[in-house]
């Protein structure tokens, strides 16, 4: 069986996230595995760089799967694009080293959260969160510096895990254009809801609801309740995965 | 009463076009007139640069209306954006000369038709037409030259009119990027369905279904049946109106 690496874009609006889990229906993973298993005439398992939550989008998610097919990578891409719905697009497909694993080998990922501080452009309105208040971008940028580096981000996540909650954030870039504030975050990996809680905490600091020092307190106490709101999923996009 | 000029963007997917007519419900014009009449506490009539058909979008439609209000142009814009749905956005509002009329004073308009020759980007998929075949852009560009200048475009329209069907096309630009062919057309004015029939005729010529000489024949005979298909509305956007 050959190992294939694909880069995928999706509009997550109608899905319960990437990963199939328990009784959850309508996940990207199921859609891919159904089409791939039919294509190869054997069961296929697909591994993404990480799950994206319900309603979260991707510009370039990366995944890999092993399968037995006579189709070329280019033909696999065409097959997937033909049978996957219009809100999922395979941008590239190539053969990968046998040992390549999209999640385990990921070095870092970039996410982007978009906040519209005014009524947004009609053509992007479904991919932003429309805020009631206008945060101060300079205050957000200043606070964001406290998040950089390696920390235990347990207080910036929901859900329980026995695994390590230590992650490294490499950079955060906050820009503002045409009434849209974009928070771009690159890090080694992200816990459940971590980008949305970080974005919500920076937003709450930017509008004066929280003080910048709250970030130190969250790192110290590791208590999620100390952090800001979890911003809604539609404003979040997985932008790129680095290997 | 003061005269106001507004520039408006909309996602036309859910509307029966700009103009209210007979029993047609759910038009942009009605939406605007309802909100404006409530704002001014008197009936308000709005005039756009031209109707856009059901399902057609606008990046920058221009309209004017006369009304009696103490609100500033900036406040009018905010009021409209608050009460109009999320698929309609007022980009600007300013006072205009009493004699300014968005339709009568329009000098030219630019429309853009987008054809996806491959499965499109998930975030723009609702604003393109996905074609089955890939037309030859060079052949389309060559044929487009025959359309330039002043002609009777009756054969490139549907519907009957007793008014003149002579129009001037100033320029046509056809570009191709990332699997999307964009046909941009600037002209003095456009008849009913004219941009969609011109785009469909150029497409049909580009895929070899029609010969370039069909354009001369349509001008000569003025018979719509000689022209190519009317492409679907979702690929069309009114880009700009010039005064």
């Amino acid at each position: 069986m050959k190992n294939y690496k694909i880069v995928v874009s999706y509009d997550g609006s109608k899905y319960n996230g990437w990963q199939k889990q328990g009784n959850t229906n309508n996940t990207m993973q199921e859609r891919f595995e159904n089409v791939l298993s039919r294509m190869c005439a054997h069961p296929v398992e697909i591994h993404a760089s990480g799950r994206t939550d319900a309603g979260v989008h991707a510009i370039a998610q990366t995944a890999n799967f092993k399968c037995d097919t006579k189709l070329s990578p280019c033909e696999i891409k065409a097959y997937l694009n033909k049978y996957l719905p219009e809100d999922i697009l395979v941008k590239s497909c190539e053969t990968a080293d046998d040992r390549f694993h999209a999640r385990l080998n990921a070095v870092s990922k970039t996410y982007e959260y978009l906040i519209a501080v005014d009524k947004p452009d009609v053509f992007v309105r479904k991919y932003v969160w429309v805020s009631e208040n206008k945060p101060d971008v300079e205050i957000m940028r200043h606070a964001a510096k406290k998040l950089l580096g390696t920390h235990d981000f347990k207080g910036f996540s929901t859900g329980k895990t026995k695994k390590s909650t230590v992650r490294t954030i490499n950079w955060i870039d906050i820009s503002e254009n045409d009434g849209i504030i974009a928070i771009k975050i690159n890090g080694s990996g992200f816990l459940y809801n971590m980008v949305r809680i970080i974005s919500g905490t920076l937003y709450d600091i930017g509008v004066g609801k929280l003080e910048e020092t709250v970030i130190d307190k969250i790192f110290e106490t590791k208590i999620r309740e100390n952090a800001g709101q979890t911003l809604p999923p539609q404003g979040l996009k997985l932008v790129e995965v680095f290997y």
Side-chain angles (χ1 to χ4, degrees), chain A residues 16-34 37 43-46 51-52:
Chain A
N16 287 315
W18 173 272
Q19 185 165 301
K20 66 180 182 191
Q21 32 188 331
N23 292 324
T24 309
N25 273 318
N26 195 28
T27 62
M28 252 78 72
Q29 188 183 353
E30 288 169 288
R31 295 296 178 114
F32 271 97
E33 291 182 352
N34 286 343
S37 302
V44 177
E45 219 179 316
I46 189 165
R51 60 181 73 182
T52 50

Side-chain angles (χ1 to χ4, degrees), chain A residues 37-57:
Chain A
S37 302
R38 189 170 57 178
M39 185 184 86
C40 306
H42 67 74
V44 177
E45 219 179 316
I46 189 165
H47 306 279
S49 72
R51 60 181 73 182
T52 50
D53 303 343
V56 173
H57 320 292

Side-chain angles (χ1 to χ4, degrees), chain A residues 147 153-157 192-194 197-198 201 215 218-219 227:
Chain A
L147 295 161
F153 283 93
K154 195 178 173 207
F156 287 98
S157 73
Y192 190 58
N193 278 346
M194 181 170 150
I197 295 172
I198 285 179
T201 303
I215 293 175
I218 305 162
F219 283 143

Side-chain angles (χ1 to χ4, degrees), chain A residues 107-111 143-153 156 165-173 183-191 194-195 197-199 202 215 219:
Chain A
V107 174
S108 78
K109 287 179 214 172
T110 303
Y111 276 93
K145 286 183 193 160
K146 283 186 175 285
L147 295 161
L148 301 182
T150 304
H151 304 277
D152 186 339
F153 283 93
F156 287 98
T165 46
V166 173
R167 297 288 186 277
T168 301
I169 293 188
N170 300 313
W171 52 260
I172 300 180
D173 179 69
I183 304 172
K184 269 195 173 182
I185 306 185
N186 175 274
S188 63
F190 294 92
L191 305 167
M194 181 170 150
V195 182
I197 295 172
I198 285 179
S199 300
L202 292 175
I215 293 175
F219 283 143

Side-chain angles (χ1 to χ4, degrees), chain A residues 81-197:
Chain A
N81 280 333
K82 185 172 176 187
Y83 291 105
L84 286 166
E86 60 163 24
D87 48 13
I88 301 177
L89 177 72
V90 177
K91 292 174 141 185
S92 68
C93 176
E94 53 186 86
T95 53
D97 188 279
D98 257 7
R99 290 160 302 181
F100 174 75
H101 188 287
R103 182 168 55 80
L104 300 176
N105 296 157
V107 174
S108 78
K109 287 179 214 172
T110 303
Y111 276 93
E112 180 177 63
Y113 198 95
L114 299 182
I115 301 171
V117 294
D118 217 334
K119 192 172 179 178
D121 182 293
V122 297
F123 302 110
V124 304
R125 70 187 192 275
K126 293 191 174 165
Y127 311 112
V128 300
W129 171 61
V130 183
S131 76
E132 293 220 340
N133 300 302
K134 188 173 171 357
D136 184 317
V137 171
E138 274 314 316
I139 289 175
M140 291 172 76
R141 282 191 187 124
H142 195 270
K145 286 183 193 160
K146 283 186 175 285
L147 295 161
L148 301 182
T150 304
H151 304 277
D152 186 339
F153 283 93
K154 195 178 173 207
F156 287 98
S157 73
T158 50
K160 286 175 187 168
T161 176
K162 287 181 182 170
K163 294 181 189 166
S164 166
T165 46
V166 173
R167 297 288 186 277
T168 301
I169 293 188
N170 300 313
W171 52 260
I172 300 180
D173 179 69
I174 305 177
S175 60
E176 189 177 2
N177 265 312
D178 286 335
I180 304 260
I181 294 173
I183 304 172
K184 269 195 173 182
I185 306 185
N186 175 274
S188 63
F190 294 92
L191 305 167
Y192 190 58
N193 278 346
M194 181 170 150
V195 182
R196 288 160 59 192
I197 295 172

